[in-house]
Amino acid sequence: MSHKRSSINRPPTPDVDKDRDNQEPTLQEIINIKLIESGEKERLKELLRERLIECGWRDEMKALCRAYTRKKGRSNVTVDDLVHVITPKGRASVPDSVKAELLQRIRSFLGSATT
Amino acid sequence: MTSKINHHQKINGQIFPQPCPHLADFRARSGSKPFWALHDCLRVKPPGGRAAIRRDPSEVPRCVTCGDASRPRIYACMACATVSCHAPPQSSHAAAHAASPACSRLDHEIAVDVDRAELFCCVCGDQVYDRDFDAAVVLAHTSGSLQPMKPENLRKRRRIDYRPWTPDLRERTVMVNNASPIDGTSTSSDDLPLGLRGLNNLGNTCFMNSVLQALFHTPPLRNYFLSDRHNRHQCQSKNGVRLCLACDMDAMFSAVFSGDRTPYSPAKFLYSWWQHAANLASYEQQDAHEFFISMLDGIHEKVEKDHRKPHNQGSGDCCIAHRVFSGILRSDVMCMACGFTSTTYDPCVDFSLDLEPNQGSSMKTGSTKLSHSCNGEADKMKSSQNCGISTLMGCLDRFTRPERLGSDQKFFCQQCQIMQESLKQMSIRKLPLVSCFHIKRFEHSSARKMSRKVDRYLHFPFSLDMAPYLSSSILRSRFGNRIFPFDGDEPDTLDDLSSEFELFAVVTHTGKLDAGHYVTYLRLSNQWYKCDDAWISQVNENVVRAAQGYMMFYVQKMLYYKASENQVAS
């Protein structure tokens, strides 16, 4: 666990996860990795981003963040504070239609990936 | 090392957030090298995508503590590259890593968000910004570009401090002796603000009258002529009697603001304009927008001849027309194959916008709340998509949206040296003092060989924030939150104040393509007036909102005086 001073400037190198190798990944993890590797996750993210902008969700969140920042004073707010305060509201206000569309996309991806 | 930190606060006149003590320490100890070392790990997903941090292109970053790869916020330590998740207040392995006894004294507080390539301080729990880091990210975005970044160039900015002026005794005497005060009693006669005077129709010249009415009440233009900056007598004695549209403007301004309310005939001006634009000289109906462009051009041309100095039009220091109306458009064309972006800047005197097509058909069914706040430009967009009403913001949004050029419009990529499919995006580099939006209501279909007028309603706000359409905003959404002034873009475009605009004139068109009538609505002292050739009448703002806007004139908010009752008399 001892860190050498010289290690500070070295470029990041891959860490080898010894513990992880002999553990069975969960189904959720497998799906997640499949999504990432195929690039589908990136496409889903892009789609989600687009939908949330279209339906006004992003502007709503922006307004909430602004209101919170104004209330607390702009120098007393951190990103963590904002994430903590806004996340529950944000999750709750994602339109069902957006969730349904995303779910449908993931389903069809899994369908095509397994066959 | 404090000097380095101080250096950070104000660069190019832009104020940057002060680095947190941890980032300052980190920089003091390691300098900017770790940021540049990260360069190899920066991956920008296919052209136009976001920057992310991956040691290997196919790496799936996962928290080394809990092994979870699906967490939304995953950070890599800047000192040792340990990847940790961060989900306070439940758990933060990133904060735990920064605080672990082995690490605590070795700058492990600063981490980088692997999906956004943005810096984060795990102790402060806040986003932090570093110029060198951001420079590295932007470089990764534009890597391979033939044009290297030249941040040094951006330093040459000159700003002149505002000095208030109060006339001294001598200047005051000169003013009193040479001024003929406008008759103050004239305003009480009909309660119309000064400068409202009908213009006689000289034979299908409503296209001209409507634009002139808007120009007479364009604050910077009005102030210019009323403060005698272009004196027609002086101009003529100096240059001889010859065609000068600015002289005619000056004469018209004098006539319109004289206090006389009987309709005025701008015959002399019409004649001069006919001489300038011979191809449009007839008693036929003309396009108001075409007239607007042509007359600005006429004022500009004259000054150009006078000075014989090549001026950069976009800089707006050539003539009054361009000083008031000209802005600079930025257009980026990105090659879809290699990501090389070529950027061009073009001056413009107005923004010609397409009406959104097939409105209503693309209605979104999302559970959206309709909010009617006045200043949220996005709210309007939202409502536009919901009720199927076109809005000015919607048009501007389309205008600045990245547009994929089809395979039939391939663009020559300087890097690939062949024609490639590309992505084009427009944005506004420099806003004019007065923005004129021209709505393309006259459609020409080359396929059917016919033209038609689009009569669709367009909603336009009385206050407009142009910030989302500025190059700085467009670039920010492309590169993420950076403090690096991108690619020759000056940071002063970020100025909040100057992006807010107020509507002061609307030119409307009723009728068909070949026969119709132009009417202007003017907003003076926050009251609306209808200028229909010789007739002036006060109208309710709802009438204006319901009108079919063809040209909308907005002035920068700081030049618009809502409350100033008698702009001239005071």
PDB file of all heavy atoms in Angstrom, chain B residues 13-40:
ATOM      1  N   GLY B  13      -9.770  38.552 -19.734  1.00  0.00           N
ATOM      2  CA  GLY B  13     -10.901  39.303 -19.214  1.00  0.00           C
ATOM      3  C   GLY B  13     -12.030  38.412 -18.749  1.00  0.00           C
ATOM      4  O   GLY B  13     -13.047  38.879 -18.265  1.00  0.00           O
ATOM      5  N   GLN B  14     -11.835  37.107 -18.880  1.00  0.00           N
ATOM      6  CA  GLN B  14     -12.878  36.205 -18.440  1.00  0.00           C
ATOM      7  C   GLN B  14     -12.532  35.758 -17.034  1.00  0.00           C
ATOM      8  O   GLN B  14     -11.381  35.442 -16.747  1.00  0.00           O
ATOM      9  CB  GLN B  14     -12.904  35.001 -19.378  1.00  0.00           C
ATOM     10  CG  GLN B  14     -14.145  34.187 -19.254  1.00  0.00           C
ATOM     11  CD  GLN B  14     -14.068  32.953 -20.120  1.00  0.00           C
ATOM     12  OE1 GLN B  14     -13.013  32.644 -20.665  1.00  0.00           O
ATOM     13  NE2 GLN B  14     -15.152  32.223 -20.222  1.00  0.00           N
ATOM     14  N   ILE B  15     -13.511  35.745 -16.175  1.00  0.00           N
ATOM     15  CA  ILE B  15     -13.220  35.364 -14.798  1.00  0.00           C
ATOM     16  C   ILE B  15     -13.494  33.887 -14.631  1.00  0.00           C
ATOM     17  O   ILE B  15     -14.572  33.393 -14.947  1.00  0.00           O
ATOM     18  CB  ILE B  15     -14.034  36.208 -13.818  1.00  0.00           C
ATOM     19  CG1 ILE B  15     -13.572  37.651 -13.924  1.00  0.00           C
ATOM     20  CG2 ILE B  15     -13.847  35.690 -12.405  1.00  0.00           C
ATOM     21  CD1 ILE B  15     -14.555  38.647 -13.443  1.00  0.00           C
ATOM     22  N   PHE B  16     -12.486  33.193 -14.165  1.00  0.00           N
ATOM     23  CA  PHE B  16     -12.631  31.769 -13.990  1.00  0.00           C
ATOM     24  C   PHE B  16     -12.854  31.445 -12.529  1.00  0.00           C
ATOM     25  O   PHE B  16     -12.403  32.170 -11.658  1.00  0.00           O
ATOM     26  CB  PHE B  16     -11.366  31.051 -14.486  1.00  0.00           C
ATOM     27  CG  PHE B  16     -11.169  31.205 -15.956  1.00  0.00           C
ATOM     28  CD1 PHE B  16      -9.955  31.618 -16.458  1.00  0.00           C
ATOM     29  CD2 PHE B  16     -12.212  30.941 -16.821  1.00  0.00           C
ATOM     30  CE1 PHE B  16      -9.785  31.760 -17.829  1.00  0.00           C
ATOM     31  CE2 PHE B  16     -12.042  31.084 -18.178  1.00  0.00           C
ATOM     32  CZ  PHE B  16     -10.823  31.496 -18.681  1.00  0.00           C
ATOM     33  N   PRO B  17     -13.531  30.334 -12.272  1.00  0.00           N
ATOM     34  CA  PRO B  17     -13.716  29.961 -10.875  1.00  0.00           C
ATOM     35  C   PRO B  17     -12.357  29.716 -10.222  1.00  0.00           C
ATOM     36  O   PRO B  17     -11.459  29.144 -10.842  1.00  0.00           O
ATOM     37  CB  PRO B  17     -14.541  28.681 -10.962  1.00  0.00           C
ATOM     38  CG  PRO B  17     -14.455  28.218 -12.368  1.00  0.00           C
ATOM     39  CD  PRO B  17     -14.166  29.413 -13.205  1.00  0.00           C
ATOM     40  N   GLN B  18     -12.234  30.146  -9.014  1.00  0.00           N
ATOM     41  CA  GLN B  18     -10.981  29.965  -8.290  1.00  0.00           C
ATOM     42  C   GLN B  18     -10.794  28.476  -8.047  1.00  0.00           C
ATOM     43  O   GLN B  18     -11.736  27.789  -7.660  1.00  0.00           O
ATOM     44  CB  GLN B  18     -11.096  30.695  -6.957  1.00  0.00           C
ATOM     45  CG  GLN B  18      -9.770  30.900  -6.298  1.00  0.00           C
ATOM     46  CD  GLN B  18      -9.822  32.117  -5.391  1.00  0.00           C
ATOM     47  OE1 GLN B  18     -10.840  32.804  -5.304  1.00  0.00           O
ATOM     48  NE2 GLN B  18      -8.736  32.376  -4.714  1.00  0.00           N
ATOM     49  N   PRO B  19      -9.580  27.959  -8.278  1.00  0.00           N
ATOM     50  CA  PRO B  19      -9.405  26.527  -8.021  1.00  0.00           C
ATOM     51  C   PRO B  19      -9.548  26.250  -6.525  1.00  0.00           C
ATOM     52  O   PRO B  19      -9.182  27.088  -5.707  1.00  0.00           O
ATOM     53  CB  PRO B  19      -7.990  26.246  -8.511  1.00  0.00           C
ATOM     54  CG  PRO B  19      -7.303  27.557  -8.529  1.00  0.00           C
ATOM     55  CD  PRO B  19      -8.362  28.604  -8.743  1.00  0.00           C
ATOM     56  N   CYS B  20     -10.086  25.103  -6.197  1.00  0.00           N
ATOM     57  CA  CYS B  20     -10.211  24.762  -4.779  1.00  0.00           C
ATOM     58  C   CYS B  20      -8.806  24.506  -4.237  1.00  0.00           C
ATOM     59  O   CYS B  20      -7.877  24.251  -4.995  1.00  0.00           O
ATOM     60  CB  CYS B  20     -11.112  23.539  -4.592  1.00  0.00           C
ATOM     61  SG  CYS B  20     -10.353  21.961  -4.964  1.00  0.00           S
ATOM     62  N   PRO B  21      -8.617  24.581  -2.929  1.00  0.00           N
ATOM     63  CA  PRO B  21      -7.246  24.433  -2.382  1.00  0.00           C
ATOM     64  C   PRO B  21      -6.584  23.123  -2.797  1.00  0.00           C
ATOM     65  O   PRO B  21      -5.363  23.066  -2.971  1.00  0.00           O
ATOM     66  CB  PRO B  21      -7.460  24.498  -0.870  1.00  0.00           C
ATOM     67  CG  PRO B  21      -8.921  24.536  -0.624  1.00  0.00           C
ATOM     68  CD  PRO B  21      -9.603  24.882  -1.898  1.00  0.00           C
ATOM     69  N   HIS B  22      -7.406  22.098  -2.991  1.00  0.00           N
ATOM     70  CA  HIS B  22      -6.830  20.795  -3.354  1.00  0.00           C
ATOM     71  C   HIS B  22      -6.277  20.811  -4.779  1.00  0.00           C
ATOM     72  O   HIS B  22      -5.213  20.279  -5.046  1.00  0.00           O
ATOM     73  CB  HIS B  22      -7.889  19.711  -3.196  1.00  0.00           C
ATOM     74  CG  HIS B  22      -8.608  19.793  -1.886  1.00  0.00           C
ATOM     75  ND1 HIS B  22      -9.882  20.281  -1.771  1.00  0.00           N
ATOM     76  CD2 HIS B  22      -8.194  19.518  -0.632  1.00  0.00           C
ATOM     77  CE1 HIS B  22     -10.242  20.271  -0.500  1.00  0.00           C
ATOM     78  NE2 HIS B  22      -9.229  19.815   0.220  1.00  0.00           N
ATOM     79  N   LEU B  23      -7.034  21.444  -5.661  1.00  0.00           N
ATOM     80  CA  LEU B  23      -6.557  21.535  -7.037  1.00  0.00           C
ATOM     81  C   LEU B  23      -5.315  22.423  -7.084  1.00  0.00           C
ATOM     82  O   LEU B  23      -4.351  22.127  -7.786  1.00  0.00           O
ATOM     83  CB  LEU B  23      -7.652  22.084  -7.949  1.00  0.00           C
ATOM     84  CG  LEU B  23      -7.255  22.281  -9.414  1.00  0.00           C
ATOM     85  CD1 LEU B  23      -6.888  20.956 -10.061  1.00  0.00           C
ATOM     86  CD2 LEU B  23      -8.373  22.952 -10.212  1.00  0.00           C
ATOM     87  N   ALA B  24      -5.342  23.495  -6.306  1.00  0.00           N
ATOM     88  CA  ALA B  24      -4.193  24.400  -6.271  1.00  0.00           C
ATOM     89  C   ALA B  24      -2.952  23.661  -5.777  1.00  0.00           C
ATOM     90  O   ALA B  24      -1.866  23.791  -6.348  1.00  0.00           O
ATOM     91  CB  ALA B  24      -4.510  25.588  -5.371  1.00  0.00           C
ATOM     92  N   ASP B  25      -3.139  22.851  -4.728  1.00  0.00           N
ATOM     93  CA  ASP B  25      -2.027  22.049  -4.197  1.00  0.00           C
ATOM     94  C   ASP B  25      -1.516  21.079  -5.243  1.00  0.00           C
ATOM     95  O   ASP B  25      -0.317  20.914  -5.450  1.00  0.00           O
ATOM     96  CB  ASP B  25      -2.511  21.210  -2.996  1.00  0.00           C
ATOM     97  CG  ASP B  25      -2.420  22.005  -1.711  1.00  0.00           C
ATOM     98  OD1 ASP B  25      -1.940  23.158  -1.789  1.00  0.00           O
ATOM     99  OD2 ASP B  25      -2.845  21.480  -0.673  1.00  0.00           O
ATOM    100  N   PHE B  26      -2.462  20.438  -5.884  1.00  0.00           N
ATOM    101  CA  PHE B  26      -2.130  19.436  -6.892  1.00  0.00           C
ATOM    102  C   PHE B  26      -1.294  20.061  -7.992  1.00  0.00           C
ATOM    103  O   PHE B  26      -0.260  19.527  -8.390  1.00  0.00           O
ATOM    104  CB  PHE B  26      -3.429  18.866  -7.459  1.00  0.00           C
ATOM    105  CG  PHE B  26      -3.227  17.809  -8.496  1.00  0.00           C
ATOM    106  CD1 PHE B  26      -2.938  16.512  -8.134  1.00  0.00           C
ATOM    107  CD2 PHE B  26      -3.330  18.113  -9.845  1.00  0.00           C
ATOM    108  CE1 PHE B  26      -2.745  15.531  -9.088  1.00  0.00           C
ATOM    109  CE2 PHE B  26      -3.141  17.140 -10.810  1.00  0.00           C
ATOM    110  CZ  PHE B  26      -2.845  15.842 -10.435  1.00  0.00           C
ATOM    111  N   ARG B  27      -1.712  21.239  -8.419  1.00  0.00           N
ATOM    112  CA  ARG B  27      -0.983  21.926  -9.478  1.00  0.00           C
ATOM    113  C   ARG B  27       0.374  22.382  -8.995  1.00  0.00           C
ATOM    114  O   ARG B  27       1.361  22.320  -9.720  1.00  0.00           O
ATOM    115  CB  ARG B  27      -1.783  23.125  -9.971  1.00  0.00           C
ATOM    116  CG  ARG B  27      -2.973  22.704 -10.803  1.00  0.00           C
ATOM    117  CD  ARG B  27      -3.243  23.731 -11.841  1.00  0.00           C
ATOM    118  NE  ARG B  27      -2.016  24.134 -12.504  1.00  0.00           N
ATOM    119  CZ  ARG B  27      -1.873  24.192 -13.803  1.00  0.00           C
ATOM    120  NH1 ARG B  27      -2.881  23.877 -14.587  1.00  0.00           N
ATOM    121  NH2 ARG B  27      -0.740  24.579 -14.337  1.00  0.00           N
ATOM    122  N   ALA B  28       0.410  22.840  -7.755  1.00  0.00           N
ATOM    123  CA  ALA B  28       1.666  23.336  -7.209  1.00  0.00           C
ATOM    124  C   ALA B  28       2.683  22.209  -7.148  1.00  0.00           C
ATOM    125  O   ALA B  28       3.870  22.409  -7.390  1.00  0.00           O
ATOM    126  CB  ALA B  28       1.424  23.927  -5.825  1.00  0.00           C
ATOM    127  N   ARG B  29       2.222  21.017  -6.823  1.00  0.00           N
ATOM    128  CA  ARG B  29       3.151  19.902  -6.692  1.00  0.00           C
ATOM    129  C   ARG B  29       3.475  19.231  -8.025  1.00  0.00           C
ATOM    130  O   ARG B  29       4.612  18.885  -8.282  1.00  0.00           O
ATOM    131  CB  ARG B  29       2.562  18.859  -5.725  1.00  0.00           C
ATOM    132  CG  ARG B  29       3.263  18.925  -4.384  1.00  0.00           C
ATOM    133  CD  ARG B  29       2.629  17.995  -3.416  1.00  0.00           C
ATOM    134  NE  ARG B  29       1.473  18.632  -2.808  1.00  0.00           N
ATOM    135  CZ  ARG B  29       0.751  18.073  -1.856  1.00  0.00           C
ATOM    136  NH1 ARG B  29       1.034  16.851  -1.440  1.00  0.00           N
ATOM    137  NH2 ARG B  29      -0.271  18.689  -1.329  1.00  0.00           N
ATOM    138  N   SER B  30       2.482  19.055  -8.846  1.00  0.00           N
ATOM    139  CA  SER B  30       2.736  18.273 -10.063  1.00  0.00           C
ATOM    140  C   SER B  30       2.715  19.089 -11.340  1.00  0.00           C
ATOM    141  O   SER B  30       2.972  18.555 -12.407  1.00  0.00           O
ATOM    142  CB  SER B  30       1.701  17.160 -10.205  1.00  0.00           C
ATOM    143  OG  SER B  30       1.243  16.748  -8.958  1.00  0.00           O
ATOM    144  N   GLY B  31       2.323  20.344 -11.231  1.00  0.00           N
ATOM    145  CA  GLY B  31       2.253  21.147 -12.451  1.00  0.00           C
ATOM    146  C   GLY B  31       1.137  20.645 -13.350  1.00  0.00           C
ATOM    147  O   GLY B  31       0.196  20.011 -12.889  1.00  0.00           O
ATOM    148  N   SER B  32       1.268  20.910 -14.628  1.00  0.00           N
ATOM    149  CA  SER B  32       0.181  20.525 -15.529  1.00  0.00           C
ATOM    150  C   SER B  32       0.476  19.204 -16.226  1.00  0.00           C
ATOM    151  O   SER B  32      -0.293  18.751 -17.052  1.00  0.00           O
ATOM    152  CB  SER B  32      -0.032  21.632 -16.556  1.00  0.00           C
ATOM    153  OG  SER B  32       1.144  21.781 -17.313  1.00  0.00           O
ATOM    154  N   LYS B  33       1.632  18.605 -15.876  1.00  0.00           N
ATOM    155  CA  LYS B  33       2.014  17.385 -16.595  1.00  0.00           C
ATOM    156  C   LYS B  33       0.985  16.265 -16.547  1.00  0.00           C
ATOM    157  O   LYS B  33       0.705  15.627 -17.565  1.00  0.00           O
ATOM    158  CB  LYS B  33       3.370  16.871 -16.079  1.00  0.00           C
ATOM    159  CG  LYS B  33       4.471  17.041 -17.138  1.00  0.00           C
ATOM    160  CD  LYS B  33       5.834  16.801 -16.560  1.00  0.00           C
ATOM    161  CE  LYS B  33       6.237  15.340 -16.637  1.00  0.00           C
ATOM    162  NZ  LYS B  33       7.506  15.126 -15.901  1.00  0.00           N
ATOM    163  N   PRO B  34       0.392  15.996 -15.361  1.00  0.00           N
ATOM    164  CA  PRO B  34      -0.589  14.896 -15.326  1.00  0.00           C
ATOM    165  C   PRO B  34      -1.741  15.111 -16.295  1.00  0.00           C
ATOM    166  O   PRO B  34      -2.268  14.149 -16.850  1.00  0.00           O
ATOM    167  CB  PRO B  34      -1.109  14.923 -13.886  1.00  0.00           C
ATOM    168  CG  PRO B  34      -0.191  15.756 -13.116  1.00  0.00           C
ATOM    169  CD  PRO B  34       0.587  16.607 -14.054  1.00  0.00           C
ATOM    170  N   PHE B  35      -2.086  16.365 -16.523  1.00  0.00           N
ATOM    171  CA  PHE B  35      -3.204  16.634 -17.424  1.00  0.00           C
ATOM    172  C   PHE B  35      -2.843  16.284 -18.857  1.00  0.00           C
ATOM    173  O   PHE B  35      -3.628  15.712 -19.593  1.00  0.00           O
ATOM    174  CB  PHE B  35      -3.626  18.107 -17.339  1.00  0.00           C
ATOM    175  CG  PHE B  35      -4.074  18.518 -15.966  1.00  0.00           C
ATOM    176  CD1 PHE B  35      -3.578  19.662 -15.378  1.00  0.00           C
ATOM    177  CD2 PHE B  35      -4.986  17.741 -15.269  1.00  0.00           C
ATOM    178  CE1 PHE B  35      -3.998  20.038 -14.117  1.00  0.00           C
ATOM    179  CE2 PHE B  35      -5.407  18.119 -14.005  1.00  0.00           C
ATOM    180  CZ  PHE B  35      -4.908  19.267 -13.427  1.00  0.00           C
ATOM    181  N   TRP B  36      -1.618  16.633 -19.203  1.00  0.00           N
ATOM    182  CA  TRP B  36      -1.199  16.336 -20.570  1.00  0.00           C
ATOM    183  C   TRP B  36      -0.947  14.841 -20.743  1.00  0.00           C
ATOM    184  O   TRP B  36      -1.137  14.289 -21.821  1.00  0.00           O
ATOM    185  CB  TRP B  36       0.040  17.142 -20.949  1.00  0.00           C
ATOM    186  CG  TRP B  36      -0.291  18.602 -21.030  1.00  0.00           C
ATOM    187  CD1 TRP B  36       0.063  19.562 -20.140  1.00  0.00           C
ATOM    188  CD2 TRP B  36      -1.057  19.258 -22.035  1.00  0.00           C
ATOM    189  NE1 TRP B  36      -0.453  20.785 -20.521  1.00  0.00           N
ATOM    190  CE2 TRP B  36      -1.135  20.620 -21.677  1.00  0.00           C
ATOM    191  CE3 TRP B  36      -1.702  18.820 -23.195  1.00  0.00           C
ATOM    192  CZ2 TRP B  36      -1.831  21.547 -22.438  1.00  0.00           C
ATOM    193  CZ3 TRP B  36      -2.386  19.743 -23.956  1.00  0.00           C
ATOM    194  CH2 TRP B  36      -2.455  21.097 -23.570  1.00  0.00           C
ATOM    195  N   ALA B  37      -0.532  14.195 -19.622  1.00  0.00           N
ATOM    196  CA  ALA B  37      -0.304  12.747 -19.689  1.00  0.00           C
ATOM    197  C   ALA B  37      -1.597  12.015 -19.977  1.00  0.00           C
ATOM    198  O   ALA B  37      -1.617  10.945 -20.570  1.00  0.00           O
ATOM    199  CB  ALA B  37       0.289  12.264 -18.362  1.00  0.00           C
ATOM    200  N   LEU B  38      -2.684  12.619 -19.571  1.00  0.00           N
ATOM    201  CA  LEU B  38      -3.987  12.019 -19.757  1.00  0.00           C
ATOM    202  C   LEU B  38      -4.415  12.021 -21.222  1.00  0.00           C
ATOM    203  O   LEU B  38      -5.353  11.345 -21.612  1.00  0.00           O
ATOM    204  CB  LEU B  38      -4.997  12.826 -18.935  1.00  0.00           C
ATOM    205  CG  LEU B  38      -6.180  12.116 -18.326  1.00  0.00           C
ATOM    206  CD1 LEU B  38      -5.707  11.029 -17.392  1.00  0.00           C
ATOM    207  CD2 LEU B  38      -7.052  13.114 -17.609  1.00  0.00           C
ATOM    208  N   HIS B  39      -3.679  12.784 -21.982  1.00  0.00           N
ATOM    209  CA  HIS B  39      -4.068  13.007 -23.371  1.00  0.00           C
ATOM    210  C   HIS B  39      -4.285  11.706 -24.134  1.00  0.00           C
ATOM    211  O   HIS B  39      -5.204  11.576 -24.935  1.00  0.00           O
ATOM    212  CB  HIS B  39      -2.997  13.861 -24.049  1.00  0.00           C
ATOM    213  CG  HIS B  39      -3.428  14.345 -25.380  1.00  0.00           C
ATOM    214  ND1 HIS B  39      -2.852  13.914 -26.547  1.00  0.00           N
ATOM    215  CD2 HIS B  39      -4.403  15.192 -25.742  1.00  0.00           C
ATOM    216  CE1 HIS B  39      -3.456  14.477 -27.565  1.00  0.00           C
ATOM    217  NE2 HIS B  39      -4.395  15.269 -27.101  1.00  0.00           N
ATOM    218  N   ASP B  40      -3.421  10.716 -23.850  1.00  0.00           N
ATOM    219  CA  ASP B  40      -3.523   9.443 -24.571  1.00  0.00           C
ATOM    220  C   ASP B  40      -4.790   8.674 -24.215  1.00  0.00           C
ATOM    221  O   ASP B  40      -5.172   7.750 -24.923  1.00  0.00           O
ATOM    222  CB  ASP B  40      -2.301   8.568 -24.260  1.00  0.00           C
ATOM    223  CG  ASP B  40      -1.034   9.209 -24.791  1.00  0.00           C
ATOM    224  OD1 ASP B  40      -1.154   9.978 -25.762  1.00  0.00           O
ATOM    225  OD2 ASP B  40       0.042   8.952 -24.228  1.00  0.00           O
TER     226      ASP B  40
END
